[in-house]
Amino acid sequence: MPRPIFAQLDLNAIANNLHVARRKACTKVMAVIKADAYGHGLLRVAEALADAEGFALLDIKDAITLRSAGYTQIILLLEGPFDAHDLEQVAAYDLTVVVHSPWQLDLLEAYPKRSSLDVWLKVNTGMNRLGFKPDQVGAAMERLRTHAAVREVTLMTHFANADEKRGIEEQLDVFNDLAGDYRVARSLANSAALLRYPQTRADWVRPGIMLYGASPFADTSAHELGLRPAMTLRSRLIAIQELEAGDEVGYGSLFKADRNMRIGVVACGYADGYPRHAPNGTPILVEGQRTRTVGRVSMDMLCVDLSDVMQARVGSPVVLWGEGLSVDEVAHSAGTISYELLCGLTKRVPVQY
Ligand SMILES: *Cc1c(COP(=O)(O)O)cnc(C)c1O
């Protein structure tokens, strides 16, 4: 028997989640598939998202893979070109680039002359990560307008607090004030904005996390949003230990039994992408029954409390997250977010479709 851990992907769930995005936003969908589709596998996910109008990612190699696989949609490079060689590839594979900084405008001078280029100009409306400040946008638009190869320009921005109480109003005002001067397409919304703020939907929405069935919000579950988990991380118990009161578990003896109890050892550790910081008590399913982790997560294993899972034995199925246990809950318990867990799944975990 091979090591029993694997990630099971439900492509129907991804198609369902795209449908949820569509029902919310009657605009074009730029499906965000960066980081190997948030850890789910670029090409498989693209298949499930085939009726999105566009795909957004960062790595130009992935963009070329996607184009070469026959996808004819817009493929947007979210951090734009990094050098002149990228621009040759952009031309060769008909990719679309974000331009977020003056140095990228300089770089555009190297774009092959006979080709045409679509650009998403990124505006920094307050996040202060990427993008032109509002007062630099006029000059940047003028440089794009007079560039021989530039065909279409879309204005985009990204929200810092769409999933937080503070919301999007301040940034939206800044964006709308400036975008009003141009007759070009606009794109603002990530998953959180698209789900919560209809006024951000514009011409293109850019959902990411919701497509994979996780919630962008701390206070609303994926299930409440009509989303279905795309990834279920499964493994099995490979050993059982009977503890006596006072016995301790794992590195650092982080857990100490206060009574006689049974624990199970799961073939899954941080080298598989399970968070090492998950404390005692992180939720987990054994035989479909909810229980809790005990002790420190190690590289290849973690331990679970079997006190209430009478039928558990060596070989019992375990769900680390996914179907029946939302990745958001596990992430919350470990002090992180679903994004990090999903894209942190490691290469050694086989993926089953
Ligand atoms: C990652 C990303 C998104 C998607 O964000 P989610 O929170 O996953 O929906 C949208 N736009 C940009 C620019 C991004 O980098």
Side-chain angles (χ1 to χ4, degrees):
M1 186 186 77
R3 188 163 175 261
I5 189 169
F6 66 101
Q8 186 177 34
L9 294 201
D10 180 351
L11 298 177
N12 289 327
I14 295 179
N16 165 78
N17 300 336
L18 175 62
H19 190 65
V20 172
R22 281 214 184 282
R23 272 204 318 262
K24 284 279 179 190
C26 306
T27 64
K28 288 183 275 190
V29 174
M30 174 67 70
V32 179
I33 54 171
K34 61 193 181 194
D36 199 28
Y38 290 49
H40 293 67
L42 182 76
L43 285 175
R44 291 298 189 147
V45 167
E47 210 177 304
L49 294 172
D51 38 272
E53 285 79 9
F55 293 111
L57 39 64
L58 282 91
D59 192 324
I60 196 159
K61 282 208 198 78
D62 288 346
I64 292 170
T65 299
L66 207 57
R67 186 63 86 218
S68 305
Y71 291 94
T72 56
Q73 288 95 327
I74 294 180
I75 300 177
L76 177 67
L77 297 174
L78 282 170
E79 289 184 355
F82 291 92
D83 57 26
H85 178 66
D86 280 357
L87 281 175
E88 281 167 33
Q89 305 273 54
V90 163
Y93 292 93
D94 190 21
L95 309 175
T96 299
V97 292
V98 166
V99 167
H100 61 72
S101 289
W103 67 264
Q104 287 182 322
L105 285 174
D106 299 342
L107 199 60
L108 286 199
E109 307 304 329
Y111 192 75
K113 293 289 177 277
R114 287 180 311 281
S115 320
S116 52
L117 174 67
D118 294 331
V119 172
W120 287 40
L121 190 72
K122 189 160 191 174
V123 185
N124 171 14
T125 54
M127 189 163 188
N128 289 314
R129 208 177 49 175
L130 294 183
F132 292 83
K133 287 250 167 67
D135 65 1
Q136 304 171 325
V137 169
M141 286 295 273
E142 188 54 22
R143 282 182 76 179
L144 293 175
R145 200 182 62 77
T146 53
H147 191 293
V150 172
R151 185 170 49 188
E152 241 184 84
V153 177
T154 300
L155 277 176
M156 72 179 288
T157 194
H158 194 51
F159 295 120
N161 298 296
D163 56 329
E164 308 267 346
K165 242 202 177 68
R166 186 156 156 200
I168 49 82
E169 285 305 333
E170 298 156 77
Q171 284 188 259
L172 182 65
D173 286 347
V174 171
F175 185 83
N176 284 344
D177 275 356
L178 132 187
D181 294 343
Y182 307 98
R183 293 184 54 183
V184 298
R186 305 174 188 189
S187 174
L188 302 88
N190 57 2
S191 299
L194 130 68
L195 289 165
R196 202 158 267 183
Y197 301 106
Q199 66 273 38
T200 66
R201 289 171 195 159
D203 300 290
W204 285 92
V205 291
R206 304 189 308 270
I209 194 69
M210 68 178 292
L211 299 175
Y212 308 97
S215 171
F217 307 115
D219 60 358
T220 310
S221 71
H223 181 75
E224 288 170 291
L225 295 166
L227 303 172
R228 282 167 43 195
M231 180 198 294
T232 300
L233 182 59
R234 299 183 186 276
S235 190
R236 291 183 186 275
L237 298 184
I238 56 169
I240 294 203
Q241 300 291 345
E242 306 285 346
L243 303 186
E244 291 175 16
D247 283 351
E248 298 163 332
V249 177
Y251 289 119
S253 301
L254 218 61
F255 178 81
K256 185 174 187 153
D258 58 5
R259 57 191 155 77
N260 295 355
M261 64 185 284
R262 211 161 64 111
I263 64 163
V265 180
V266 182
C268 175
Y270 61 79
D272 300 298
Y274 194 89
R276 182 173 174 277
H277 293 109
N280 287 322
T282 299
I284 186 165
L285 306 182
V286 179
E287 293 277 359
Q289 204 173 319
R290 198 183 161 98
T291 177
R292 57 172 183 147
T293 64
V294 292
R296 182 169 287 158
V297 173
S298 48
M299 187 182 284
D300 313 307
M301 283 169 267
L302 57 83
C303 296
V304 293
D305 182 356
L306 298 178
S307 304
D308 297 323
V309 195
M310 295 314 183
Q311 72 278 34
R313 53 185 163 73
V314 168
S316 283
V318 173
V319 169
L320 289 307
W321 63 65
E323 209 179 304
L325 174 62
S326 103
V327 64
D328 296 309
E329 247 191 283
V330 177
H332 180 76
S333 180
T336 182
I337 53 175
S338 59
Y339 300 67
E340 191 180 13
L341 297 191
L342 295 174
C343 68
L345 191 76
T346 62
K347 262 200 328 277
R348 80 177 192 186
V349 179
V351 176
Q352 209 175 85
Y353 295 91

